[in-house]
Amino acid sequence: MAEHFDAVDVIRTKRDKGELSEGQIDWVIDAYTRGVVADEQMSALAMAIFLNGMNRREIAQWTQAMINSGETMSFSSLSRPTADKHSTGGVGDKITLPLAPLVASFGVSVPQLSGRGLGHTGGTLDKLESIPGWQANLSNDRMMQMLEDPGCVICAAGSGLAPADKKLYALRDITSTVDCIPLIASSIMSKKIAEGTGALVLDVKVGSGAFMKTLDDARELAQTMVNLGTDAGVKTVALLTDMSTPLGKTVGNALEVRESLDVLAGGGPADVVELTCELAREMLNLAGVHDADVEEALKNGRAMDTWKSMIRAQGGDPDAPLPTAKHTETVYADADGVITELDALAIGVASWRLGAGRARKEDPVQAGAGIEILVDRGQKVTKGTPLFTLHSDDTDRFERALESLNQGWSIAPIDESVPTPRQSVVIEKIN
Ligand code: URA
């Protein structure tokens, strides 16, 4: 790098609400990746950005510098167009599982480079690893083969894409600088642009179980990411979707695979089907396929056939029984009335405490652990109606899980409450 900057100057610029220059951003990201800028200096800069923000030009430059920190991939040699989906993460969000084979079954390749879960939101790879034999790590060559046939792949992102983000994300996690729109947008989009997809649909979650708790924040994050993608030549749209209540009726790894199989078999919960079909239509549209009957492809087994090929190609047995937890416990309604609340965060934390998620990167997860939600918001119940089934391999996890779960549901007398079933998961589209 020709120009040399000083980390203290860069931090001071942002601390004093100044604009970082192109040279400053390129230098600080490169120097941090190489270990020349120390963690404590990058922590100070991340906090200054958290407090004082970045403008559109700075965010674009920051994203480009993170892309430049590692390798980039290209799918241009494939015979089919590509479309990818990224979700900002939510409770019960298993959509990638039915979505990737559904879209691929219409001739559009879907490269889903995914991660493991940290905290109360589950990771796609953790879910798939509950399928006996299934392998997350693939070589680039194998990945490219799978994108031709069966046309989709869900695998671990290699460490070569945007290594600056990997380092910075770990630092943000321990310095309380994760929930910052410029940093989240550049983190997600650096990886997606480096991956080389032609089209990208973003599922930006809003509500208690999401990073973005308000619609205004979710809108700003979505617009920032759409601008970054579009400016980089990736056709990008975002859907803002509801995460006040978990998606579907299961939270936990094998439980969510089972529910995804229900969707691929033409059934499954209405909200999971709705979101899968909406996202599939957006991905297919961006990739130039405009008349796809995605609902029919779930009903007639076409998406299921692609799913089975995808699972087999990664060593998994799609017909093997899924693991189940050793113990279960059921929670019952304590009164007659209407279910007025099923809170995503409380249910997500409870599932995590049952063993479905991890507190540290290196922790194992339990394949069978999690929660089945047996009722809907707005449903009438009587005292004694089963509301939830908890699953875990360790009975001593139930108490702490219940502490969280019991903060997350409520029953109101029928004559005093207005039932609030979820109307639609998709709130708004941003492009
Ligand atoms: N996911 C990411 O990849 N990065 C963030 O900053 C937040 C969520």
Side-chain angles (χ1 to χ4, degrees):
M1 193 128 317
E3 252 180 309
H4 182 78
F5 294 87
D6 181 43
V8 177
D9 285 340
V10 179
I11 298 164
R12 189 186 305 116
T13 303
K14 197 36 85 182
R15 184 200 66 185
D16 295 344
K17 302 189 169 60
E19 229 183 90
L20 299 176
S21 70
E22 196 179 313
Q24 281 180 315
I25 292 173
D26 286 350
W27 176 80
V28 82
I29 296 285
D30 177 63
Y32 178 58
T33 311
R34 288 185 293 115
V36 172
V37 165
D39 273 349
E40 48 272 35
Q41 293 176 309
M42 199 53 157
S43 306
L45 181 58
M47 186 57 82
I49 292 170
F50 182 94
L51 296 172
N52 296 327
M54 287 199 284
N55 64 26
R56 183 167 175 174
R57 184 199 56 77
E58 289 173 294
I59 298 172
Q61 193 64 38
W62 189 273
T63 306
Q64 190 56 50
M66 294 215 289
I67 296 169
N68 294 345
S69 73
E71 66 190 34
T72 52
M73 290 168 52
S74 168
F75 299 123
S76 57
S77 62
L78 292 176
S79 64
R80 308 155 39 123
T82 49
D84 193 1
K85 186 263 317 189
H86 181 83
S87 153
T88 56
V91 176
D93 184 2
K94 70 275 295 170
I95 300 293
T96 296
L97 277 55
L99 179 67
L102 174 59
V103 172
S105 75
F106 286 93
V108 172
S109 293
V110 185
Q112 284 288 165
L113 304 185
S114 303
R116 292 196 166 70
L118 196 60
H120 72 275
T121 62
T124 298
L125 300 182
D126 295 322
K127 299 177 213 258
L128 284 166
E129 278 173 346
S130 64
I131 299 172
W134 187 86
Q135 294 296 320
N137 294 311
L138 298 182
S139 67
N140 279 359
D141 284 351
R142 186 78 192 103
M143 197 177 103
M144 293 301 272
Q145 281 165 8
M146 283 189 65
L147 288 172
E148 287 288 355
D149 183 23
C152 51
V153 61
I154 305 174
C155 63
S159 56
L161 293 178
D165 175 64
K166 198 152 282 169
K167 212 172 156 189
L168 181 56
Y169 191 71
L171 191 69
R172 287 167 54 212
D173 204 29
I174 56 168
T175 56
S176 202
T177 50
V178 169
D179 44 351
C180 163
I181 289 173
L183 293 177
I184 296 175
S186 53
S187 166
I188 291 173
M189 293 306 291
S190 62
K191 287 172 287 203
K192 289 291 155 186
I193 297 167
E195 172 200 296
T197 184
L200 175 64
V201 177
L202 297 160
D203 177 4
V204 178
K205 305 285 188 197
V206 55
S208 77
F211 273 125
M212 297 294 123
K213 309 289 182 206
T214 69
L215 200 50
D216 280 349
D217 282 348
R219 226 177 247 138
E220 187 183 335
L221 176 62
Q223 192 66 62
T224 306
M225 292 196 290
V226 168
N227 292 346
L228 284 170
T230 308
D231 291 352
V234 181
K235 292 179 207 144
T236 311
V237 300
L239 298 183
L240 303 188
T241 68
D242 177 47
M243 190 31 73
S244 56
T245 286
L247 259 177
K249 312 296 281 178
T250 58
V251 182
N253 300 310
L255 291 170
E256 291 191 45
V257 173
R258 197 187 71 197
E259 190 168 271
S260 303
L261 290 170
D262 293 342
V263 173
L264 285 162
D271 56 351
V272 180
V273 176
E274 179 204 337
L275 188 51
T276 303
C277 290
E278 287 295 335
L279 289 165
R281 264 190 287 275
E282 294 293 343
M283 291 166 75
L284 289 166
N285 262 327
L286 290 180
V289 179
H290 301 295
D291 53 356
D293 188 346
V294 291
E295 281 85 1
E296 181 57 22
L298 290 175
K299 293 206 179 86
N300 67 16
R302 174 172 162 169
M304 178 68 100
D305 289 345
T306 309
W307 159 268
K308 288 190 175 187
S309 305
M310 174 180 79
I311 296 301
R312 280 196 198 99
Q314 287 175 250
D317 178 354
D319 301 313
L322 291 164
T324 51
K326 292 196 186 109
H327 308 282
T328 59
E329 190 162 319
T330 302
V331 175
Y332 298 93
D334 54 359
D336 295 351
V338 175
I339 301 283
T340 51
E341 191 192 3
L342 290 171
D343 180 71
L345 181 60
I347 296 170
V349 169
S351 169
W352 173 50
R353 289 182 180 172
L354 288 168
R358 52 171 72 76
R360 287 169 309 151
K361 274 208 305 289
E362 47 292 342
D363 292 347
V365 294
Q366 292 181 20
I371 296 179
E372 282 177 277
I373 305 163
L374 308 173
V375 286
D376 290 311
R377 205 160 61 179
Q379 183 178 327
K380 288 184 186 143
V381 294
T382 53
K383 188 171 177 188
T385 301
L387 304 179
F388 304 97
T389 306
L390 284 66
H391 300 246
S392 182
D393 290 338
D394 313 307
T395 47
D396 55 2
R397 288 178 178 264
F398 285 126
E399 193 181 330
R400 293 258 300 135
L402 283 167
E403 274 171 27
S404 176
L405 183 65
N406 287 333
Q407 307 285 320
W409 59 273
S410 49
I411 296 176
I414 289 171
D415 52 351
E416 284 175 21
S417 67
V418 182
T420 52
R422 175 147 64 189
Q423 299 299 323
S424 167
V425 212
V426 179
I427 303 167
E428 197 172 304
K429 178 173 164 181
I430 305 248
N431 50 13

